[in-house]
Amino acid sequence: MTASLASYLDDFASSPVLRDVGQTVLHLSAAAVTVHRAIASGRVPERRSVGDTSSNASGETQKPLDVFADDTFLAAASMSPVRLYGSEEQEEPIELGDEGHLALAIDPLDGSSNIETNIAVGTIFSLLPLDVGATDPRSAFEQPGDRQVAAGFFIYGAQLLLVLTVGSGTMTFIWRGDSVGFVLMREAHAIPPETREYSINSSNRRHWTPGTRRYIEDAEAGEEGPRTWNFGMRYAGSLVADTFRILQRGGVFLYPGDRRKGYASGRLRQIYETNPIAFCIEQAGGSATDGHRRMLELSPADLHGRSPFVFGSKKEVEVVAAYLTAEERDAASASAA
Ligand code: FDP
């Protein structure tokens, strides 16, 4: 029989923290079904009075669906053993009482600029343990990503999927309707170490630093170039969709820092985007870095802080790092000359 999400979570609930993780993931899954229904029907219930011009903590436009998703996941977190809710859509973390062992960081609707286009969007989440000795529970969000106890993302696409890691592999569950719920669809993703497919928003080429530009130009040169084989390019512009493709068949994704104002560290937010995706990718045998260093070892600057992000097939992530290191070496010798 196919394993249900509830039985999968039950099997590893060997400590109070892990039991809290299980309960929280089930509440988040119920919230994801609600958000999926709103997207599928094209009708977003108004919960707060927001127009199209509200903006979030990063100054980006909030759409009614962003707000609806945030409200829905906040309600789910309030029913869960979660004490702290840190969301892309909220300026500051919200304290939800004094019980439970977990802090939840969440991007309630990632890829929201794609909503009207019927491209898959999603919800990305990260569960961190509270630091029991800390006077301020918000210090939970200062921990590096390797302290995450679980992470994952929902994909609202042709299928409603949950990609989840609790630190022993990365699994995908599929929603089979109210009477069945989420069931295991893919046990233990395994990202191939090599790839011939890259993913980047190449409209930013003129803003890239030399290392990124050289890496992409060499890939584009195909079998006539130094890489000696032809590459393909895929970029959905929706992080959950690009990540799922890489989990399924490999590839490398880059959102580097570039020279645009405000983009020195790229676009993606560390606590609720790059850290949870990095955890899922590593648990599937891939690598995730900021271009040089392992993503999960980096201490976040603040709840909405950004990080450059390179992840996917292990050997290709190393190739990208070699180009970026050569860029640094060239810059250092140019400034020494
Ligand atoms: P969006 O702004 O539509 O929510 O971090 C958000 C994100 O989408 C990611 O899902 C996506 O990978 C990235 O931004 C796309 O950014 P660009 O449009 O700059 O390529």
Side-chain angles (χ1 to χ4, degrees):
M1 206 181 102
T2 321
S4 70
L5 176 62
S7 66
Y8 174 78
L9 291 168
D10 230 33
D11 281 352
F12 81 94
S14 55
S15 69
V17 174
L18 293 177
R19 271 193 294 281
D20 283 3
V21 167
Q23 280 181 37
T24 304
V25 170
L26 290 177
H27 282 298
L28 296 179
S29 303
V33 171
T34 304
V35 172
H36 179 63
R37 286 201 173 113
I39 293 171
S41 68
R43 283 194 295 268
V44 181
E46 284 277 350
R47 287 217 181 151
R48 266 186 245 162
S49 52
V50 285
D52 272 352
T53 51
S54 309
S55 56
N56 66 16
S58 305
E60 292 164 350
T61 302
Q62 268 180 328
K63 298 184 174 178
L65 195 58
D66 286 314
V67 177
F68 175 71
D70 189 44
D71 286 352
T72 307
F73 282 103
L74 176 56
S78 310
M79 290 186 274
S80 309
V82 166
R83 281 180 56 181
L84 201 63
Y85 178 85
S87 162
E88 183 187 14
E89 303 305 331
Q90 307 278 349
E91 190 89 36
E92 297 288 338
I94 297 175
E95 290 188 42
L96 300 173
D98 49 18
E99 288 189 13
H101 302 93
L102 298 173
L104 167 66
I106 192 161
D107 181 350
L109 201 78
D110 189 77
S112 60
S113 59
N114 293 304
I115 294 166
E116 302 80 9
T117 66
N118 200 22
I119 285 177
V121 293
T123 297
I124 308 175
F125 63 91
S126 162
L127 288 169
L128 288 150
L130 289 177
D131 181 352
V132 271
T135 46
D136 185 350
R138 283 176 297 184
S139 63
F141 293 136
E142 291 163 15
Q143 302 173 93
D146 59 7
R147 299 291 321 278
Q148 292 172 101
V149 284
F153 54 94
F154 296 96
I155 307 178
Y156 311 114
Q159 301 163 322
L160 169 55
L161 301 179
L162 163 62
V163 175
L164 177 69
T165 182
V166 291
S168 53
T170 297
M171 320 284 157
T172 294
F173 297 85
I174 184 168
W175 169 248
R176 294 241 193 263
D178 285 325
S179 54
V180 180
F182 281 92
V183 294
L184 192 61
M185 180 179 98
R186 176 80 194 258
E187 195 174 356
H189 284 277
I191 300 174
E194 293 187 67
T195 183
R196 297 177 183 196
E197 198 163 81
Y198 64 88
S199 185
I200 192 167
N201 184 341
S202 51
S203 69
N204 296 322
R205 183 185 301 259
R206 69 193 184 286
H207 306 295
W208 291 339
T209 62
T212 306
R213 199 173 309 140
R214 249 176 244 143
Y215 169 74
I216 296 297
E217 280 169 4
D218 286 354
E220 286 170 340
E223 54 191 17
E224 290 85 29
R227 301 299 307 278
T228 70
W229 61 60
N230 295 326
F231 279 79
M233 197 282 280
R234 289 285 182 281
Y235 186 72
S238 170
L239 187 57
V240 294
D242 284 314
T243 303
F244 193 63
R245 186 189 59 251
I246 288 172
L247 282 168
Q248 291 283 61
R249 67 178 193 213
V252 66
F253 175 99
L254 299 89
Y255 210 121
D258 65 46
R259 293 182 171 135
R260 281 173 294 167
K261 192 162 178 281
Y263 277 77
S265 294
R267 177 188 180 97
L268 304 175
R269 271 53 60 100
Q270 189 181 349
I271 297 183
Y272 43 78
E273 289 184 304
T274 66
N275 277 351
I277 297 290
F279 193 15
C280 293
I281 291 292
E282 281 199 1
Q283 286 295 317
S287 296
T289 71
D290 67 349
H292 301 277
R293 297 163 298 173
R294 183 175 169 239
M295 179 58 59
L296 296 182
E297 287 173 13
L298 306 176
S299 294
D302 67 79
L303 179 61
H304 302 291
R306 298 174 186 221
S307 173
F309 199 23
V310 178
F311 71 86
S313 295
K314 226 175 192 144
K315 290 198 174 154
E316 199 59 26
V317 173
E318 284 166 15
V319 173
V320 175
Y323 277 81
L324 298 178
T325 303
E327 167 189 321
E328 284 190 345
R329 219 179 25 238
D330 292 351
S333 48
S335 69

